[in-house]
Amino acid sequence: MDSPAYFQDFEDHVGEPVVAIILKYVREYKLKGSDAEELARHLDKRLDEDDRGVRGRFCNNKEKNDYNFERAVKCIFSDWFEKHSCIDKETTIMTIVEALKSSRMKALATEITRKCEENWKIKGK
């Protein structure tokens, strides 16, 4: 199975609270394989055409003997972040939130949005 090589960079960029919420949904089975594939598809749409492939890599990972769902989800965000061109944290998070909403994962999108609004308010933004 592929390695989430850029996941730590992704976490450093969006912040540990956002990643913790995503992984909580994975660990509590609130985010399932079909949801993750749909998310990968919507994140792909937000990349330049030449950079797309997040969904394909996720589907390939599902076929491997050492498949691990949490690691596969980390690979989705890692692969997307590697190709993602926005350097602004808030824009990156809002792109993820929009992809989640488009993937029918409104509860996860809402929880991330609330956490970010809380953090941005605390930091004076």
Side-chain angles (χ1 to χ4, degrees):
M1 184 167 165
D2 291 340
S3 170
Y6 290 88
F7 190 75
Q8 187 61 54
D9 294 336
F10 169 74
E11 183 174 351
D12 292 344
H13 185 70
V14 299
E16 188 276 333
V18 170
V19 170
I21 292 167
I22 293 167
L23 294 180
K24 178 184 87 164
Y25 270 66
V26 170
R27 293 172 185 145
E28 294 177 357
Y29 304 104
K30 294 179 181 176
L31 192 149
K32 300 191 176 23
S34 59
D35 298 327
E37 186 173 344
E38 188 71 8
L39 173 62
R41 186 172 73 81
H42 283 283
L43 287 173
D44 253 347
K45 287 181 178 180
R46 286 155 174 82
L47 294 173
D48 292 335
E49 195 169 327
D50 292 342
D51 290 333
R52 293 179 185 166
V54 176
R55 182 183 165 274
R57 282 187 291 279
F58 173 75
C59 290
N60 287 338
N61 280 335
K62 287 193 315 186
E63 303 300 319
K64 296 184 179 175
N65 288 336
D66 63 344
Y67 177 73
N68 172 287
F69 184 62
E70 183 173 328
R71 195 162 105 200
V73 170
K74 287 180 177 182
C75 283
I76 289 172
F77 288 102
S78 175
D79 291 347
W80 175 74
F81 188 71
E82 176 187 9
K83 304 293 184 182
H84 178 60
S85 61
C86 182
I87 58 170
D88 176 74
K89 175 181 178 173
E90 292 174 30
T91 303
T92 301
I93 292 170
M94 294 318 297
T95 300
I96 294 165
V97 165
E98 289 305 314
L100 288 166
K101 288 178 182 176
S102 297
S103 303
R104 298 179 311 279
M105 290 184 267
K106 189 175 180 181
L108 177 52
T110 300
E111 192 168 338
I112 289 171
T113 301
R114 284 186 184 141
K115 178 55 96 177
C116 290
E117 287 172 348
E118 204 174 276
N119 287 345
W120 292 330
K121 195 181 294 181
I122 290 169
K123 293 180 181 179
K125 289 188 176 184

